[in-house]
Amino acid sequence: MAFVQVADVEVVDPIETIFAGVRFNGDDARVVLIVQAGIFAAIAVGVFLHHRWGLLLALCYMAEVVMSHLAFVIAYLPIQSEWMNVRAVASQGPMMVLITLYIWIRGYDLIFDSSPADERPQASSDASHRLRIRADSAAIAD
């Protein structure tokens, strides 16, 4: 304040975020970031407590991120002044797709398997299977 007159300074809010392919600035960006933080917290709680919905929410959020990147690139590509931002977002796209595919591949059985983990049939070894067949055949013979 000693070198610059307060009245001559214009404050610019540098917070900017993209959600669903739409760019948000200022207070709107803060609200979007708070909502995204809530989504991350819900994902963390769901995964920490070993609930399927946590992994499903993570998968849905990553799918939204991929679609948001694609929508932003398509919407802002014709605007020459936005080419630097489009280039940055487009370069992040393949990594977002890989993360989404990783969650899909690793979580497919956990998300879409209808039976609980405790009720899954246990794979028996060949030796125990043979012993069980011998015991059954001996019981039938008697």
Side-chain angles (χ1 to χ4, degrees), residues 55 58-59 62 98-108 111:
L55 195 54
L59 183 62
M62 286 307 299
L98 288 175
I99 292 170
T100 305
L101 287 175
Y102 177 78
I103 294 173
W104 173 263
I105 291 168
R106 296 291 295 186
Y108 182 81
I111 293 172

Side-chain angles (χ1 to χ4, degrees), residues 6-90:
V6 176
D8 295 339
V9 177
E10 184 176 324
V11 177
V12 177
D13 197 358
I15 294 180
E16 179 179 284
T17 188
I18 298 169
F19 186 75
V22 179
R23 180 184 299 184
F24 294 95
N25 295 316
D27 291 334
D28 295 337
R30 285 186 176 89
V31 171
V32 170
L33 290 174
I34 290 171
V35 169
Q36 286 179 337
I39 293 170
F40 292 143
I43 290 170
V45 167
V47 170
F48 181 72
L49 296 176
H50 301 285
H51 291 291
R52 287 183 185 166
W53 60 263
L55 195 54
L56 187 60
L57 184 60
L59 183 62
C60 290
Y61 183 77
M62 286 307 299
E64 185 277 327
V65 168
V66 169
M67 297 306 292
S68 177
H69 275 69
L70 183 63
F72 180 82
V73 168
I74 290 171
Y76 287 94
L77 189 60
I79 303 170
Q80 188 173 6
S81 63
E82 292 293 329
W83 282 357
M84 291 297 288
N85 294 326
V86 169
R87 182 178 177 197
V89 170

